[in-house]
Amino acid sequence: MIAGAVLSGCGTTPSPSAPTTPPTTVPPGSISASTTTDQSVGMPKSSLDLKAVALGSRVYSTTITAVGAEHVCSPLAGSVPVKTPPWVDTAAATWNMTTKAAVAGDVTWSSTFRTSHSGSNLVLRGNDLPPRSGTFPVDRADPAYAYNPDLTPVAAFDFNLKVPDSPTQNPTPTCVEGDGPVGVMSNGVILDGPLDANGNDAGAVETQDTCHGSPSDTGYRYVSLSPCLLSTTALTTTTQVGWALDGFGIYVEYGADGNLLTNQDLDACHGRTSVVPWHGKMVSIYHYDMTLEYPYSVGCFSGTPSVLHGS
């Protein structure tokens, strides 16, 4: 992950209550096939064909482009080779969510996250540890080891983010760091942009755990919607699941047909204005939506992004 203009500070040292090695795990052989070879498990109802989701690799621009692309601040030109996993069809430019492998294991972490107010700002603080994750570094006995898993451990990253409590839109959107942070989720996990350093669709090409998360330079991250964020209610009812760096909410939002919204319902920044729960009330406000297709969350910042600090 590239820190860029939206991440600063220090702190990859884990807290005493958060070891960098898994304290307890479920061996890969004890995980059922449904949880290790189908990443659509636990996800909302969708009108998309989850066996042929559009691949977002290299779908970005340094200028505002069409819906479904990522507006990045600079081109991504990493040099780490990535193996094309069997669930990705590069010729058709699609990937199959229902056959995507997941990292095995079930690890419990000492996750901390709290929100507070400071004047007209909302302050988010946490240690970027998930309540639970798969086993990282990935065990060689895990079948997912063969497909671009992250071989680093999960480590705490103490962060704070101060965003406006009542964000406003700018006339011109702001770019995002394609593989850097774009927000913080409701469980305190940092949300990264959808691309890796090589410009690949990280949600499709990289192998995550069954919560759709993996280690990062700062701790643990999501790059797409995690089923572990979703309560039973959130699987069918519009619910806020996080905050973008500009302060606008990030939601799972459903149409009249009960399906999760898709890119065609959203603008170039992957957001829209509609009535959603905000500060305990139903309000018509601009916000971002999580979808099951690239770029998954924030395509550009409609407001002014704040800096996510390490502490």
Side-chain angles (χ1 to χ4, degrees):
M1 186 181 76
I2 299 174
V6 291
L7 176 66
S8 69
C10 58
T12 55
T13 302
S15 64
S17 62
T20 56
T21 54
T24 57
T25 64
V26 176
S30 299
I31 302 297
S32 67
S34 64
T35 60
T36 58
T37 60
D38 186 349
Q39 287 290 69
S40 69
V41 172
M43 300 300 271
K45 179 184 175 184
S46 174
S47 60
L48 300 174
D49 179 1
L50 300 186
K51 295 182 178 181
V53 182
L55 185 67
S57 294
R58 315 303 298 180
V59 182
Y60 67 83
S61 174
T62 54
T63 60
I64 298 296
T65 53
V67 173
E70 187 79 353
H71 173 36
V72 298
C73 297
S74 57
L76 299 169
S79 59
V80 179
V82 174
K83 179 180 180 180
T84 301
W87 57 84
V88 173
D89 185 338
T90 53
T94 61
W95 65 284
N96 189 336
M97 185 181 294
T98 69
T99 60
K100 182 183 177 184
V103 172
D106 193 354
V107 184
T108 301
W109 297 97
S110 298
S111 174
T112 62
F113 180 61
R114 65 185 184 277
T115 64
S116 61
H117 286 84
S118 176
S120 60
N121 293 311
L122 175 69
V123 182
L124 311 175
R125 298 178 184 274
N127 63 3
D128 195 28
L129 289 176
R132 61 172 293 267
S133 77
T135 301
F136 296 100
V138 180
D139 193 295
R140 287 180 176 271
D142 187 339
Y145 184 88
Y147 306 117
N148 308 315
D150 197 308
L151 300 179
T152 57
V154 173
F157 173 74
D158 294 324
F159 71 86
N160 69 83
L161 174 67
K162 184 183 291 186
V163 296
D165 204 31
S166 298
T168 57
Q169 289 181 266
N170 292 326
T172 303
T174 302
C175 60
V176 306
E177 295 294 341
D179 64 338
V182 296
V184 174
M185 305 315 290
S186 56
N187 63 356
V189 170
I190 293 174
L191 175 67
D192 274 5
L195 297 163
D196 68 11
N198 301 283
N200 295 301
D201 180 342
V205 175
E206 294 181 354
T207 304
Q208 293 96 17
D209 58 26
T210 55
C211 284
H212 300 195
S214 64
S216 73
D217 291 348
T218 56
Y220 183 85
R221 66 165 183 172
Y222 299 133
V223 295
S224 58
L225 179 60
S226 168
C228 296
L229 284 170
L230 305 177
S231 64
T232 300
T233 299
L235 284 170
T236 57
T237 306
T238 296
T239 305
Q240 185 179 358
V241 293
W243 299 263
L245 296 186
D246 59 7
F248 285 110
I250 300 174
Y251 290 78
V252 286
E253 187 174 6
Y254 300 88
D257 58 0
N259 287 317
L260 189 70
L261 297 190
T262 64
N263 287 359
Q264 68 179 6
D265 300 303
L266 308 174
D267 65 16
C269 285
H270 218 246
R272 73 175 194 164
T273 298
S274 64
V275 177
V276 295
W278 178 248
H279 297 337
K281 300 179 180 180
M282 298 303 293
V283 180
S284 179
I285 189 173
Y286 184 84
H287 58 276
Y288 302 102
D289 277 293
M290 300 289 289
T291 65
L292 301 187
E293 57 190 328
Y294 176 91
Y296 308 113
S297 62
V298 179
C300 50
F301 293 111
S302 185
T304 302
S306 298
V307 176
L308 190 153
H309 293 279
S311 58

